[in-house]
Amino acid sequence: MSPILRQAGKQLLDGVLAACAWLIVEGLWTGTGWYLKQTAIWVLISLSVGGLFQLTRHVYSLTDVRDTMRLAMATLTLASLAVVLKVMTGPLGLFPPISNVAFGASILTGGFWGTLRVGCRWWRETRARKSANGKVDQRKFRTLIVGAGQAGALVLQELRRHTELGFHVIGFIDDNTSIYGERVHGIPVLGGTARLEEIVRKHKVTHAILAIPSAPGQAVRKLNSRLQSMRVQIKTVPGLYNLLGTQVWKPVIRDVSIEDVLRRDAVHLDHSALLEAIEGSVVLITGAGGSIGSELARQIATFKPKHLVLLGRGENSLWMIQRELHRLFPDQAYSLELMDIRKRNGLREIFQIYRPDIVMHAAAHKHVPFLETHPAEAVLNNIFGTMNVVEAALECGTRTLVSISTDKAVNPTNVLGASKRIAECIVLEASKKAAAGTSFVSVRFGNVLGSRGSVVPIFMEQIEQGGPITVTHPEMTRYFMTIPEASQLVLQAGVLGETGKVYVLDMGEPVKIADLAADMVRLSGLTPGRDIEIQFTGLRPGEKLHEELFLDQERSTTTLHSKVYETNPHGIDADKLAVGLEGFRKAIALPFKQRQPEIVRLLQAMVPTYTPSILGVGRYGGHAWNRRKPNSPLAPQEACRRKNPPSKDATAPWLVLNKSRVQTDEEPADRLPFSLEPWAPIDELDA
C-alpha cells in the first residue's frame, strides 16, 4: 500500500472513532437526536488536533511511550478546547450542553484512538509469538532474570520481542525486599539471591540472565560461581562502564566475559570541568591506533573538541579508529597523521601545523620480552620519542600534555619500565620549562583488559584451540582495569591535574594470573584441569612476579578523583638527564656487543632502582641464560622484586636454578640465548 493511501486509511479510522465518540456522548448527555452537522465539526476539529501532534505518522504496531505521550497531549488539547467552548457559550450563542458534550467526547476520542494503537501492537506481538512458536523448539529455556530494575524490565521486553531465542522467563530475582511478590510486566519477583538455589530447584531453571549493569565484578563473580555450580547457563548484559558519552544503555544479551567478572564500579567523571577544558580545543593523540590511544579518541570526542588529530605509525589501526569515529561522531572534525614519533622534524612539523592545545601521548613500545632483546628500540621510542613529543609541545605552546606511563616504571626489572621511568622524568623536567598556566603530567597504571598483547585474548585463543593455557608462574599477579575505565581516569587526572605531577590510577586489588586463567576456562563452560590444562612455563625475560604502583614514600592522596592518587615524584637532575640522553645517542650507534651493555649501564645510572632481569638484558651484567631449550632454567626468585615474597611452599618444582647452564658474556654470540640481528646506524633522532 502506498504511503498516501495508508495515511488516508488512518485518518478515516480516526475520524470514524471521533464521530462515534461524539455521537455516544451526545446521545447519553442530552438524550436528544443526533446532529450530523455538530458531529462533522467535531470530526474536523479532532483530526486537526491529531494532525498537529502527527498521531497517524507512526507505525501503530510499534506504539511506545513517546507515541502514548503525544496521544495524551492531543486528548488534553481537545479537552482544553471544550473548556474554551464552555466559556464562550454565551457570547457565541451556543447550545449550553455543547461544551459538556465536547469535553466528554474529547476523553472518549482519546480512549478510542489509544485502544486502536495499543490493539495493533498487541495483535502484532501475538501473531509474532505464534509464528515463532511454530519455528522454535517447544522446549523453551526456563529463565530467571537476576535484577528486577529498569535493566531487567528492558531485558524482559527484548526477550518477548525475540521469542525465537527460546527464553521463557519464569520470574525475577532481586534483593530489594519491598518488591517481593510483585510483578514486572506480568512476571513475578520470586525472591532474593539468598533463595537462589531454592528457586532454581523449585522452578527447574535452566538459564539465568544477569541484568545488573551497575553491579561490581565481585558480585558478578559470586553469582556466576553459584549459578555454574547448579549447572545453570548464564548470560549477561553490558556494564555501565561500556557506555560512551551520551550513548543509551541497551539490553544486549551475551555470554559472561572476564571483563564482567573483574568489573569495578563505574567511573564518575567531572563532565562539566572536562567539557570546559576540552570543548573547542585542538587535541592531538599519539599512538592513536593503539588500545589506549583509540579509546582516548572516543572519550575525547564526546566532549566536542574543535579538532582531533590522530597520530600514529600503524596505517591499519588508524584506519580502524577513523571508521569508528565517523560512525559514532559524524560531526567531529579530525585528521589522520601517519607519523613515527622518533622522526623529530616530521613530528615538529605536524605540531606547528595543528598547534594542539592538548596532547595525549600514548605512543610507546610496551612488550616486555621484546624490549629485553631490543633495548635500543625502547630507547629510541620510549625515551627519545617522548622527548620529541615534549619538545614539539613546548615549541608550539601546548596547554596540557599527558604522558601515559606504566606500573612497570616502579622499581623496574625490565627495559620497558626503566625507559618509561626516564620518560616520566623528561615530562617532569619539561613542566619546569613550560609557560605559566600550562600542565605537563604523567599518568601511571597497570594492565588493561583486552589490549593488544594482554593475557585475556591470548587465553581466549588457547581455550578455542583446546588448550593448554600457558601461565608463567602460579604466584604471578597483575593489576587490571578495563580500557574505558583507564582512559576515563587518564582524562580526569591528566587534563585536570596539576603540572609536574605523576598520577597513579587506583587499580584495585591485584589478580592472580592462574586464577584469571581458571575463571576464563569456567566461563567457557569447561573445567580447568579436566577439559583445559593450565601449564606453568616459567618467567619470561624482564618479568616480575608482582608489580608495584608506587616508589617508597611516593604515595599520597588527591582530591582530583577518588580513584586517582598523586605521587611526590623524584625526577632526574637536569644535567644528569642531559648527559644520560647524550650517552644514549652514542650508545645506539655502537656495534651490538658494545651497544647492549652500554644501554644497560646507562639505564642503571639514570634509574637507580632499576635491577636488570638476568633473564633479559641482565645477562650483560655477567649472567646469560639459555632459553632456547624447552626445559630451560629460570631466574631465582630474588630477581623478581616485591616487598612480600611468596612463601616457600608456593615454589613450583620447576622454579629451580640450574647453575650448570650459567654462561658468561665472553661466550661467542652464536651461543647467546637470543637471536641477534646485525645493527645498522639509524637517523631517527635527527631526521
Side-chain angles (χ1 to χ4, degrees), residues 413-446:
T413 62
N414 48 57
V415 173
L416 168 61
S419 63
K420 294 297 282 185
R421 175 61 187 148
I422 295 173
E424 288 182 359
C425 295
I426 290 173
V427 175
L428 288 174
E429 189 62 28
S431 67
K432 302 173 185 176
K433 302 176 182 178
T438 58
S439 175
F440 281 59
V441 303
S442 295
V443 180
R444 187 189 295 165
F445 56 91

Side-chain angles (χ1 to χ4, degrees), residues 606-641:
M606 297 182 71
V607 185
T609 59
Y610 170 49
T611 304
S613 166
I614 60 176
L615 295 177
V617 295
R619 66 189 184 278
Y620 296 109
H623 299 281
W625 297 84
N626 190 336
R627 291 182 50 83
R628 285 177 178 171
K629 296 187 176 181
N631 297 321
S632 59
L634 301 179
Q637 292 188 32
E638 291 77 29
C640 306
R641 297 182 63 103

